[in-house]
Amino acid sequence: MPNQNQIANPQTGVPQVKGPQMNDRDFLNDGLATCKYLTDSLNVAVREASHQQLYADMLQILTETHQSAREMYNLMFQKGWYKLEAEDQQKLQQAYQQYSGYSTQFPYH
C-alpha cells in the first residue's frame, strides 16, 4: 500500500532484479551523497579561510558543488528515485507559530 504522505514520481529506468553492478540510480545516489559530504566540509573550509583569494576560490567550488547536488537531486526526483515525505499541515502550523514569535527577539527585524 503506497504511503499517502509520499511525494514522488513513478520510477523509471531501474531493472526489476538488481545485480552486483552499479546502475544509473546507484551512480547518481553515490554522486549526491558525495556532494552532500563535500558541501558540508567546504562550508567549514570557506568559513575559516584566512586568505581572501583562497576564500573566493573555495566559495566558487562550494557554489558549483551545491549546483551539482541540486541537478542530481532534480534528476533523481524526476525519475522517481528520490522520494519525499509530506509533513502534516497541523505540525507545520505549530512550528510556524512557535518560531514566528522568535523573530521579535532578533536585533534587526
Side-chain angles (χ1 to χ4, degrees):
M1 177 177 202
N3 183 344
Q4 297 300 322
N5 288 334
Q6 198 170 75
I7 301 169
N9 290 312
Q11 284 196 26
T12 60
V14 178
Q16 293 294 332
V17 177
K18 174 79 170 91
Q21 312 87 327
M22 289 182 69
N23 60 32
D24 289 346
R25 184 176 82 177
D26 296 331
F27 282 113
L28 278 171
N29 195 40
D30 184 60
L32 182 57
T34 300
C35 281
K36 288 178 179 181
Y37 171 77
L38 287 171
T39 55
D40 289 346
S41 299
L42 284 166
N43 275 320
V44 174
V46 168
R47 193 172 47 244
E48 296 180 0
S50 60
H51 187 272
Q52 184 59 38
Q53 189 58 51
L54 177 62
Y55 169 82
D57 290 344
M58 291 180 74
L59 183 59
Q60 179 65 36
I61 294 167
L62 174 61
T63 301
E64 291 171 5
T65 306
H66 272 292
Q67 185 61 39
S68 294
R70 185 63 185 180
E71 290 170 8
M72 281 187 266
Y73 161 79
N74 285 338
L75 182 57
M76 290 183 74
F77 186 77
Q78 178 185 15
K79 291 185 169 284
W81 301 343
Y82 201 105
K83 296 173 178 56
L84 304 171
E85 292 290 325
E87 187 56 85
D88 178 59
Q89 187 63 36
Q90 184 178 359
K91 287 183 181 180
L92 291 173
Q93 188 61 34
Q94 287 171 344
Y96 174 79
Q97 289 174 348
Q98 177 183 356
Y99 292 106
S100 65
Y102 293 167
S103 65
T104 59
Q105 300 173 20
F106 298 154
Y108 306 104
H109 55 87

